């Protein structure tokens, strides 16, 4: 049986994003490849591969520097991490440091906001 490329492309056109995502995952498992590791083509295309790229779900909160209000930042770090005073102070003094790792986007945004409000420079990665 010969492969009908036109029928395959027509089938792809009729698929939903979720169906395309499932297809890409099945191809990745069957052939041991990853669509995410391939460079994006310069002239567009790659619709199925682009649909399979999922949004990042885990984030790290990084304290870049303490800023002028070091005491407030130490308090914020203690509140976010549950660390003791000495450990939180050491973390702030040793910036840049990861304050929280592998947390949800909303939690990471809230943590960065709390650190910035305390006077620190922080970011989400």
């Amino acid at each position: 049986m010969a492969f009908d490329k036109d029928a395959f492309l027509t089938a792809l056109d009729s698929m939903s994003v979720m169906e395309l995502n499932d297809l890409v995952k099945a191809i990745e498992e069957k052939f041991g490849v990853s669509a995410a590791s391939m460079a994006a083509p310069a002239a567009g295309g790659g619709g199925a591969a682009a649909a399979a790229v999922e949004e990042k779900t885990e984030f790290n909160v990084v304290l870049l520097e303490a800023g002028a209000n070091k005491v407030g930042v130490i308090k914020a770090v203690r509140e976010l991490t549950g660390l003791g005073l000495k450990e939180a102070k050491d973390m702030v003094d040793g910036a840049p440091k990861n304050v929280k790792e592998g947390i949800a986007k909303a939690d990471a945004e809230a943590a960065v906001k709390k650190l910035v409000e305390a006077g620190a420079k922080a970011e989400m990665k």
Side-chain angles (χ1 to χ4, degrees):
M1 180 172 158
F3 178 72
D4 187 353
K5 181 174 66 172
D6 292 330
F8 180 74
L9 293 174
T10 302
L12 284 178
D13 282 339
S14 67
M15 295 176 89
S16 71
V17 173
M18 292 304 293
E19 291 170 327
L20 285 170
N21 188 32
D22 291 341
L23 175 64
V24 170
K25 285 181 181 178
I27 291 171
E28 287 175 340
E29 289 176 16
K30 172 80 175 171
F31 297 105
V33 296
S34 175
S37 66
M38 295 173 45
V53 176
E54 296 180 20
E55 185 176 340
K56 186 176 177 179
T57 58
E58 291 186 351
F59 296 87
N60 295 339
V61 176
V62 181
L63 173 66
L64 299 174
E65 62 180 66
N69 186 11
K70 189 173 174 180
V71 173
V73 175
I74 291 170
K75 287 180 182 178
V77 167
R78 287 188 68 200
E79 186 177 327
L80 291 169
T81 62
L83 292 174
L85 180 60
K86 181 180 180 345
E87 292 84 3
K89 181 183 180 306
D90 290 345
M91 181 179 281
V92 171
D93 287 341
K97 290 275 190 181
N98 285 350
V99 176
K100 301 280 277 181
E101 295 180 346
I103 61 174
K105 184 176 183 178
D107 295 336
E109 288 171 345
V112 168
K113 182 179 177 185
K114 181 175 286 291
L115 290 167
V116 170
E117 286 174 353
K121 286 188 182 177
E123 70 180 9
M124 204 172 63
K125 287 188 178 184

